[in-house]
């Protein structure tokens, strides 16, 4: 087994991993960025970046130009309960006033290229198997094995030695599992189902969200991927309301990302035919975008969404968990890219600050990272868990849509809350909505005893 030495090892080259590697390399650290496959490669996602995620791109020094495959949007179009509202992204100090879409095949490759240009060393076809611990119980590196183009292990092993590891290996969270950090049953999970269609509206300047999803009538039980087929409902028949939303996100390249996300607070979670829900929803509204089942240009794929810190603690033995590996998907809207990139930046800042410490002292000082993550997202995610629980009750969800969508004033507050775009702190520019959200956050805890 060969051995390579670095200041830090980053496992997984998605948005979180590449962001962490770029920031670390820019700070002067030697960084190994391990990716089990090779670019370009896909991931099930809505492909949308809110202004929070765009800010993280800007902090990396990336200019999202249209000619490079980025498509701008100015806000949201919300549809539900017979109402249709168009809203711009809320204005927040320090945030751009636009969002973006870019397919993950291009987004992830662009971020990995940026990390490499910043000085990180990218190792593709390198499957990180487990963290390696020293006699004192602290991490000393990562054991990895080479893979071929089909993802099969070739048997060629490498020990990547480093005093600190950033785990950005997604929902599988191999590094966390190797340290005994398991998923939390008291935190919400979701499932996303996604495909692509060509559409004459592929350059629309708004993300469209349909807030009223219903289970297919008498849908048969199936697995979380929704393998079965539901029968078609009879005329006038409607299935039960489900907590989640359907999306149509224009990509600017002639296609639209179409999908849905559903929370596990739904009574139907794990039994409903998600592909059936997607099929029936597209059959009912697809004419608005000139899409239909026969024009689909990609397979329907599904993925789990680990939400609201569903894997804690975020630091153990010198290994920092970021993004999906730490369960940092927003339970309000299913957004993961921002929280992946933002937590990665916080992790990189923490590591850079203690880079010259002896290894044991470094591991102790890294406690700053989970504290900063909880300070940034903890109370907000706690509110999100409450929200996820409430909308899991069909009667409450239906009433919320009926009365909420009829009030543009209320929906402006909801958009600020769901997108996490509001003025906090003591800003003199805070409006009433900002103050209400800040007040709500002060009423809920950012952490519990299991987070440490």
């Amino acid at each position: 087994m060969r051995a390579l030495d670095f200041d830090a090892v980053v496992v997984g080259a998605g948005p979180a991993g590449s962001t962490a590697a770029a920031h670390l390399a820019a700070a002067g650290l030697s960084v190994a960025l391990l990716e089990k496959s090779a670019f370009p490669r896909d991931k099930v996602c809505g492909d949308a970046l809110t202004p929070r995620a765009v800010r993280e791109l800007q902090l990396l020094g990336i200019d999202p130009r249209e000619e490079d495959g980025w498509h701008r949007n100015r806000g949201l179009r919300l549809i539900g309960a017979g109402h249709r509202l168009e809203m711009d992204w809320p204005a927040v100090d320090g945030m751009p006033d636009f969002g973006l879409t870019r397919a993950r095949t291009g987004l992830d490759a662009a971020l990995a290229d940026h990390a490499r240009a910043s000085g990180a060393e990218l190792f593709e076809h390198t499957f990180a198997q487990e963290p390696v611990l020293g006699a004192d119980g602290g991490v000393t590196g990562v054991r990895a094995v080479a893979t071929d183009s089909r993802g099969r292990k070739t048997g060629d092993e490498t020990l990547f030695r480093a005093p600190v590891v950033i785990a950005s290996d997604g929902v599988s969270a191999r590094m966390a599992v190797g340290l005994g950090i398991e998923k939390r049953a008291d935190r919400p999970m979701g499932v996303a189902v996604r495909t692509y269609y060509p559409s004459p509206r592929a350059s629309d300047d708004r993300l469209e969200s349909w807030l009223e999803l219903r289970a297919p009538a008498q849908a048969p039980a199936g697995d979380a991927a929704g393998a079965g087929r539901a029968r078609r409902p009879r005329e006038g028949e409607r299935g039960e309301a489900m907590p989640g939303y359907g999306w149509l996100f224009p990509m600017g390249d002639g296609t639209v990302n179409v999908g849905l996300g559903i929370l596990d607070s739904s009574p139907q979670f794990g039994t409903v035919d998600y592909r059936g829900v997607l099929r029936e929803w597209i059959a009912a509204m697809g004419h608005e975008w000139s899409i239909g089942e026969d024009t689909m240009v990609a397979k329907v794929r599904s993925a789990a969404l680990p939400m609201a810190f569903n894997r804690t603690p975020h630091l153990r033995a010198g290994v920092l968990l970021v993004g999906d590996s730490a369960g940092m998907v927003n339970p309000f809207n299913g957004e993961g890219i921002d929280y992946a990139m933002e937590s990665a930046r916080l992790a990189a800042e923490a590591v850079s600050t203690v880079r010259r410490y002896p290894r044991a002292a470094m591991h102790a000082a890294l406690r700053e990272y989970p504290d900063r993550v909880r300070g940034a997202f903890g109370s907000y995610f706690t509110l999100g868990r409450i929200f996820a629980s409430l909308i899991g009750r069909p009667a409450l969800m239906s009433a919320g849509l009926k009365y909420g969508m009829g009030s543009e004033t209320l929906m402006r507050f909801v958009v600020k809350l769901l997108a996490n775009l509001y003025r906090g702190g003591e800003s003199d520019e805070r409006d009433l909505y900002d103050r209400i959200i800040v007040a709500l956050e002060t009423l809920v805890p950012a952490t519990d005893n299991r987070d440490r």
Side-chain angles (χ1 to χ4, degrees):
M1 179 191 302
R2 68 170 178 163
L4 300 174
D5 292 306
F6 293 88
D7 293 328
V9 176
V10 180
V11 179
S18 292
T19 296
H23 283 301
L24 288 169
L29 282 75
S30 62
V31 184
L33 177 59
L34 314 185
E35 169 57 41
K36 66 180 179 180
S37 56
F39 295 102
R41 52 103 172 104
D42 193 17
K43 181 182 178 182
V44 177
C45 183
D47 298 335
L49 287 74
T50 67
R52 289 186 69 96
V54 178
R55 179 188 62 174
E56 295 303 317
L57 285 179
Q58 294 173 339
L59 290 174
L60 284 170
I62 294 175
D63 180 14
R65 301 181 304 173
E66 185 175 352
E67 54 266 35
D68 292 331
W70 304 93
H71 178 60
R72 290 196 180 199
N73 57 73
R74 58 185 293 189
L76 304 171
R77 182 180 301 109
L78 304 174
I79 298 172
H83 299 277
R84 186 178 299 248
L85 298 174
E86 291 193 351
M87 297 187 177
D88 291 346
W89 292 114
V92 179
D93 303 333
M95 296 280 183
D97 61 356
F98 64 94
L100 294 166
T101 54
R102 188 172 184 183
R104 289 293 296 271
T105 51
L107 170 65
D108 289 16
L111 290 174
D113 285 344
H114 183 77
R116 186 161 39 192
S118 299
E121 191 168 348
L122 175 63
F123 293 85
E124 296 177 286
H125 290 302
T126 302
F127 181 87
Q129 299 184 97
E130 60 184 357
V132 178
L133 304 181
D136 62 355
V139 72
T140 60
V142 172
R143 184 176 291 109
V145 63
T147 61
D148 61 19
S149 59
R150 295 185 178 182
R152 298 174 300 192
K153 300 175 185 178
T154 66
D156 298 327
E157 292 191 348
T158 301
L159 175 60
F160 291 89
R161 292 188 298 221
V164 63
V165 172
I166 293 181
S168 50
D169 44 354
V171 67
S172 65
R174 295 182 305 280
M175 296 298 104
V177 172
L179 294 170
I181 305 174
E182 301 296 337
K183 290 187 296 185
R184 297 183 55 160
D186 62 338
R187 302 296 162 91
M189 284 286 292
V191 64
V193 182
R194 178 223 69 186
T195 186
Y196 294 91
Y197 291 88
S199 170
R201 295 177 59 187
S203 294
D204 197 315
D205 64 356
R206 292 187 187 274
L207 305 179
E208 186 163 294
S209 296
W210 290 62
L211 306 181
E212 198 169 15
L213 290 177
R214 294 188 176 273
Q218 296 182 8
D223 60 21
R229 294 185 64 88
R231 71 168 176 80
R232 294 289 183 181
R234 290 181 288 272
E235 184 176 356
E237 187 177 23
R238 305 181 77 195
E240 193 171 57
M242 303 177 67
Y245 69 96
W247 70 73
L248 300 105
F249 293 166
M251 302 302 296
D253 62 356
T255 67
V256 177
N257 181 313
V258 181
L260 55 86
I262 299 173
L263 289 166
D264 66 355
S265 55
S266 165
Q268 309 99 330
F269 189 84
T271 62
V272 72
D273 173 11
Y274 302 122
R275 288 176 171 81
V277 177
L278 182 65
R279 248 189 336 266
E280 292 188 7
W281 175 56
I282 291 172
M285 52 65 59
H287 63 279
E288 295 196 18
W289 289 75
S290 300
I291 64 176
E293 192 169 354
D294 57 341
T295 65
M296 187 187 304
V297 293
K299 292 182 179 180
V300 177
R301 297 181 59 200
S302 60
L305 300 175
M307 297 177 166
F309 292 163
N310 89 325
R311 201 181 292 270
T312 57
H314 295 143
L315 170 71
R316 179 172 289 175
V319 178
L320 296 80
L321 309 187
V322 300
D324 285 6
S325 71
M328 292 186 185
V329 174
N330 184 344
F332 283 108
N333 64 6
E335 179 192 6
I337 294 175
D338 161 52
Y339 303 94
M341 297 180 71
E342 194 166 343
S343 62
R345 173 171 54 81
L346 295 176
E349 289 172 356
V351 172
S352 300
T353 300
V354 302
R355 57 179 295 193
R356 301 193 186 281
Y357 289 17
R359 187 172 67 89
M362 173 189 289
H363 291 177
L366 285 172
R367 285 194 292 266
E368 168 195 349
Y369 167 67
D371 289 343
R372 290 190 66 189
V373 167
R374 285 192 295 270
F377 310 136
S379 294
Y380 179 76
F381 280 173
T382 300
L383 286 176
R385 297 201 308 270
I386 297 170
F387 169 81
S389 175
L390 290 175
I391 68 169
R393 304 174 187 179
L396 284 177
M397 183 176 175
S398 295
L401 284 173
K402 178 180 178 181
Y403 298 107
M405 286 294 293
S407 170
E408 183 171 340
T409 298
L410 178 58
M411 290 308 295
R412 291 192 183 281
F413 166 78
V414 169
V415 167
K416 280 198 170 196
L417 177 62
L418 268 60
N420 199 3
L421 291 170
Y422 59 93
R423 294 182 177 93
E426 300 298 327
S427 171
D428 293 334
E429 300 298 321
R430 288 188 299 170
D431 61 20
L432 177 60
Y433 305 144
D434 299 325
R435 295 178 187 277
I436 292 173
I437 295 172
V438 171
L440 289 173
E441 286 196 338
T442 63
L443 295 175
V444 298
T447 185
D448 65 24
N449 292 332
R450 291 180 60 189
D451 287 338
R452 297 182 180 275

